[in-house]
């Protein structure tokens, strides 16, 4: 990296583009795009808005990094390469010697600031560390350059675009027409004005997809009429708080297809199952749904009992838990603690009945519950909770 920076610092910084008539300003707009061909990777593209002259560098892995600072650091090597090796990185047949930009800008203020810091940390000349934010017109020019580059790359290597899964309504991370990730484009995806649940990278792509989308396209639903699952799929992706929760809970880029069960488990596991968060994900009437309310109550008790390895719920939790997410459920309420204590007492009765055995049979269940006489119906749920959260020798899948 030191040699790369040294080479970049030694480049000339002319006011205008060399070998170009008319004194075109030596200003560049750059960005990172995901090239979603057979061998997907990220590339850095830079364009001179006045001439349309394009340079590029890559491939690299940038978007897979979790923070803007890390993505900025990963962008720097390719960005410098594009200018240091200009004769190799050019996408136009022009014999222009390498030179540094006089000024440059990128798409996002946060990314611009992060790249400035990264350039300074590598001792790039101060004059070259200032990164601006491009205009909407410059963004459109960069997007046009990207489309041209994609076509050229595909033709040069004989590459074809891979088959992509259909995009579900509510998924704001991919274009619903071409099905490409939003990271493939320099312009933000725009949503369908009718249903507000489908996103497109261009008007042309939206028009091509209209025949397929039209049967599913309906005006935005009144949130008060949606059940929890419908709200989670249709409305939550439009709510910034819900989107932030989905990201933090690693629910995937879209909730489509994952259902409310996964989200509910992750909320409870992390102690974020507050009324505000539940409403953000499941809608304003989530507590009116008895099934969701009951599921929340049971899952809360399961996490408070902390099922050990070998218990049915320890095995089942493996399918919805993410080990990278810290387990920190909210403390039990007074009512919940009474039920937890009842479950612990029931577990003691089960162990006493089983002796050296660890797997209770239906006969064991009947014998234990009969000891409660008229209270048996009320103890059925406690028995189910107690037995499912104790070691029965169940094997955890790899």
């Amino acid at each position: 990296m030191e040699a790369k920076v040294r080479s970049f610092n030694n480049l000339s910084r002319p006011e205008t583009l060399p070998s170009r008539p008319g004194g075109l300003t030596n200003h560049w707009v750059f960005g990172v795009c995901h090239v979603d061909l057979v061998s997907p990777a990220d590339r850095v593209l830079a364009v001179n808005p006045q001439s349309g002259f394009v340079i590029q560098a890559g491939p690299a892995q940038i978007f897979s990094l979790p923070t803007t600072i890390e993505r900025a650091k990963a962008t720097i090597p390719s960005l410098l390469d594009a200018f240091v090796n200009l004769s190799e990185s050019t996408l136009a047949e022009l014999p222009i010697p390498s030179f540094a930009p006089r000024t440059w800008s990128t798409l996002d203020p946060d990314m611009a600031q992060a790249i400035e810091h990264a350039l300074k940390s590598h001792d790039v000349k101060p004059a070259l560390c200032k990164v601006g934010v491009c205009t909407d017109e410059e963004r459109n020019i960069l997007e046009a350059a990207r489309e041209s580059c994609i076509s050229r790359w595909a033709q040069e290597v004989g590459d074809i675009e891979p088959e992509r899964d259909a995009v579900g309504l509510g998924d704001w991370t991919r274009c619903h027409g071409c099905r490409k990730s939003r990271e493939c484009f320099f312009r933000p995806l725009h949503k369908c004005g009718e249903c507000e649940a489908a996103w497109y990278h261009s008007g042309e792509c939206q028009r091509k997809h209209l025949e397929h989308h039209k049967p599913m396209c309906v005006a935005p639903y009144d949130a008060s009429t949606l059940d929890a699952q419908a709200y989670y799929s249709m409305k939550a992706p439009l709510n910034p708080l819900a989107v932030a929760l989905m990201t933090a809970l690693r629910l995937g880029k879209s909730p489509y297809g994952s259902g409310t069960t996964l989200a509910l488990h992750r909320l409870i596991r992390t102690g974020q199952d507050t009324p505000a968060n539940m409403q953000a994900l499941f809608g304003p009437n989530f507590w009116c749904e008895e099934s969701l309310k009951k599921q929340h109550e049971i899952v809360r008790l399961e996490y408070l009992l902390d099922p050990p390895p070998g218990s049915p719920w320890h095995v089942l939790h493996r399918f919805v838990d993410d080990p990278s997410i810290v387990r920190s459920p909210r403390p039990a309420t007074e009512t919940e603690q009474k039920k937890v204590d009842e479950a612990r007492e029931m577990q003691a009765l089960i162990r006493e009945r089983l002796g050296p055995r660890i797997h209770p049979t239906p006969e064991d269940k009947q014998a234990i519950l009969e000891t409660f006489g008229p209270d048996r119906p009320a103890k059925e749920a406690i028995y189910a909770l107690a037995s499912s959260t104790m070691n029965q020798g169940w094997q955890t899948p790899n």
Side-chain angles (χ1 to χ4, degrees), residues 305-372:
L305 283 163
D306 194 12
S311 64
W313 272 109
H314 184 272
V315 174
L316 294 175
H317 281 189
R318 288 291 297 273
F319 293 101
V320 291
D321 281 346
D322 184 326
S324 66
I325 298 177
V326 177
R327 186 184 184 284
S328 55
R330 291 184 295 105
T333 64
E334 184 177 346
T335 300
E336 288 173 334
Q337 190 58 53
K338 288 181 179 179
K339 291 185 178 181
V340 168
D341 293 340
E342 282 187 81
R344 297 294 188 201
E345 291 171 3
M346 184 68 75
Q347 287 176 344
L349 292 176
I350 295 173
R351 292 191 186 95
E352 182 181 353
R353 165 78 185 185
L354 295 180
R357 293 183 293 122
I358 61 172
H359 186 73
T361 64
E363 291 75 18
D364 293 323
K365 175 182 176 180
Q366 181 176 352
I368 291 172
L369 291 178
E370 282 179 352
T371 64
F372 292 97

Side-chain angles (χ1 to χ4, degrees), residues 14 26 31 75 109 151 168-169 215 222 225 244 262 338:
N26 182 18
T75 299
S151 298
L169 288 178
D222 180 355
T225 67
L262 179 62
K338 288 181 179 179

Side-chain angles (χ1 to χ4, degrees), residues 195-323:
C195 66
E196 298 185 357
W199 276 259
Y200 299 93
H201 83 274
S202 69
E204 180 182 1
C205 200
Q206 183 174 8
R207 285 190 294 273
K208 289 180 179 179
H209 190 243
L210 181 60
E211 182 178 354
H212 175 79
H213 176 60
K214 192 172 182 179
M216 300 179 289
C217 183
V218 293
Y221 291 104
D222 180 355
S224 64
T225 67
L226 298 178
D227 61 23
Q229 179 59 59
Y231 187 96
Y232 182 62
S233 298
M234 296 292 293
K235 286 292 186 179
L238 309 178
N239 182 341
L241 173 58
V243 172
L245 278 171
M246 294 171 194
T247 302
L249 298 174
R250 298 182 183 274
L251 293 174
K253 293 182 176 180
S254 166
Y256 188 82
S258 64
T260 57
T261 297
L262 179 62
L264 185 64
H265 272 261
R266 297 278 175 87
L267 283 171
I268 293 172
R269 175 183 173 85
T270 58
Q272 298 184 78
D273 53 325
T274 63
N277 288 345
M278 296 281 284
Q279 181 170 320
L281 290 183
F282 307 132
N285 301 317
F286 68 94
W287 282 131
C288 296
E289 293 188 38
E290 284 301 318
S291 60
L292 183 64
K293 185 177 180 180
K294 188 66 177 177
Q295 186 182 18
H296 177 266
E297 178 185 339
I298 294 172
V299 175
R300 274 276 298 162
L301 292 172
E302 290 165 4
Y303 275 97
L304 291 171
L305 283 163
D306 194 12
S311 64
W313 272 109
H314 184 272
V315 174
L316 294 175
H317 281 189
R318 288 291 297 273
F319 293 101
V320 291
D321 281 346
D322 184 326

